[in-house]
Amino acid sequence: MNVPSHIAIIMDGNGRWARRRALPRIMGHKAGIDSVKNIVKACIKFKIEHLTLYAFSTENWLRSRKEVKGLFRLLGSFLDNEIRLFHDNGVRLRIIGDRGRLDAMIRQKIEDTEKETAGYETLNLNIALSYGSRQEILNAVRQLSREVKKGRIRPDEIDEKIFAEYLYTKGSPDPDLLIRTSGEMRVSNFLLWQISYSEIYVTSKFWPDFREPDLKKAIEEYGKRERRFGG
Ligand code: FPP
């Protein structure tokens, strides 16, 4: 079967999952972490090479201080608790997004985990944190403009390949499959450049309910699609 090499996921619906159970929102995010662990393990099992998860968007900074703090605390514990899983299974972690806005302690933890796992290549796990695709593209344009100004590159030399090297996802292939949970038909400022030819799969399940069998179903659906890349 045709298995995607890179899966990107917009993990949506934690809040609604919690509301249905009359629980605080943070409990939805906590259950969402269990799905993250389950899906990371499933990707290792299904031999997926790249997994990119949308954990926190630039727009998410507008949420209550309490929720933002809670989310970053959960992320910190995830990194502490799963480092063994990363070592045992050859998972390389990379955080994509605007690190400048992250608190110094979490930034340090991220850098340490990235360094520790840099040599692994079974699964490349990218977590988008304080990520916004338009900001990523603007950032690339600014960097390239500086290179042009310094005379290091000519404007007509800039092609898709060179441009992609200035994005946070530098070095990763484009996602083959984009999954969104909780039924919304939006891309929400996620990987706008990179998903140009991705297949899209939307499920009505909330993220905390999305587990290995659901991923398998998405991969099977992807296997049936015929990709033409506009040709
Ligand atoms: C969307 O649900 C989810 C988020 C904004 C956060 C996703 C974060 C996690 C699953 C935990 C941290 C992740 C990692 C990778 C360790 P929502 O709150 O927008 O739900 P709603 O639309 O139902 O309110």
Side-chain angles (χ1 to χ4, degrees):
M1 199 180 66
N2 186 15
V3 173
S5 142
H6 186 173
I7 298 179
I9 309 183
I10 301 176
M11 308 181 288
D12 195 14
N14 295 351
R16 275 162 284 174
W17 182 92
R19 198 167 58 228
R20 289 254 171 108
R21 289 161 179 77
L23 292 169
R25 289 180 64 80
I26 198 67
M27 294 307 286
H29 296 315
K30 205 157 171 246
I33 295 265
D34 293 335
S35 286
V36 170
K37 290 183 206 161
N38 183 281
I39 294 304
V40 167
K41 287 181 191 153
C43 283
I44 296 165
K45 183 169 161 190
F46 298 149
K47 301 198 164 32
I48 304 299
E49 291 162 290
H50 305 266
L51 172 67
T52 302
L53 301 173
Y54 203 4
F56 194 85
S57 70
T58 41
E59 292 72 28
N60 287 155
W61 287 112
L62 298 170
R63 295 195 177 190
S64 74
R65 248 179 69 91
K66 190 171 156 211
E67 185 173 349
V68 171
K69 245 179 110 182
L71 265 168
F72 279 98
R73 205 172 31 232
L74 283 174
L75 183 89
S77 326
F78 171 80
L79 295 179
D80 288 339
N81 299 336
E82 302 314 314
I83 187 72
R84 204 51 281 141
L85 175 89
F86 298 166
H87 282 304
D88 291 348
N89 294 281
V91 177
R92 177 182 187 168
L93 177 90
R94 183 155 66 140
I95 299 294
I96 57 170
D98 176 9
R99 295 175 186 224
R101 292 184 74 175
L102 306 181
D103 152 305
M105 225 162 79
I106 190 87
R107 213 159 51 209
Q108 189 60 50
K109 205 184 285 265
I110 286 169
E111 279 166 22
D112 293 345
T113 314
E114 284 179 332
K115 251 188 231 142
E116 264 193 66
T117 62
Y120 296 142
E121 45 191 27
T122 303
L123 174 68
N124 290 281
L125 172 63
N126 305 312
I127 299 183
L129 258 195
S130 189
Y131 175 87
S133 187
R134 287 188 173 182
Q135 288 80 352
E136 176 186 37
I137 290 170
L138 281 176
N139 185 45
V141 170
R142 286 193 199 109
Q143 284 187 56
L144 270 164
S145 312
R146 279 184 218 117
E147 298 294 302
V148 169
K149 204 167 160 200
K150 287 184 190 149
R152 291 197 191 133
I153 189 165
R154 279 179 295 108
D156 3 315
E157 259 181 275
I158 303 170
D159 58 12
E160 291 185 14
K161 198 163 159 266
I162 290 178
F163 189 78
E165 279 168 24
Y166 287 81
L167 298 173
Y168 297 131
T169 50
K170 167 180 189 254
S172 286
D174 288 341
D176 302 293
L177 173 63
L178 172 70
I179 298 175
R180 180 166 189 147
T181 58
S182 101
E184 243 74 64
M185 300 289 179
R186 288 193 285 273
V187 288
S188 302
N189 205 13
F190 188 46
L191 304 174
L192 300 180
W193 170 277
Q194 298 89 336
I195 60 167
S196 296
Y197 292 101
S198 306
E199 293 294 326
I200 301 180
Y201 178 89
V202 176
T203 165
S204 57
K205 280 207 176 176
F206 295 139
W207 175 249
D209 292 325
F210 190 89
R211 298 291 160 105
E212 181 183 317
D214 306 292
L215 181 72
K216 188 160 178 267
K217 217 169 125 195
I219 294 174
E220 279 165 3
E221 164 73 29
Y222 169 87
K224 289 187 215 144
R225 307 239 184 123
E226 186 201 345
R227 300 183 75 193
R228 290 193 298 272
F229 299 94

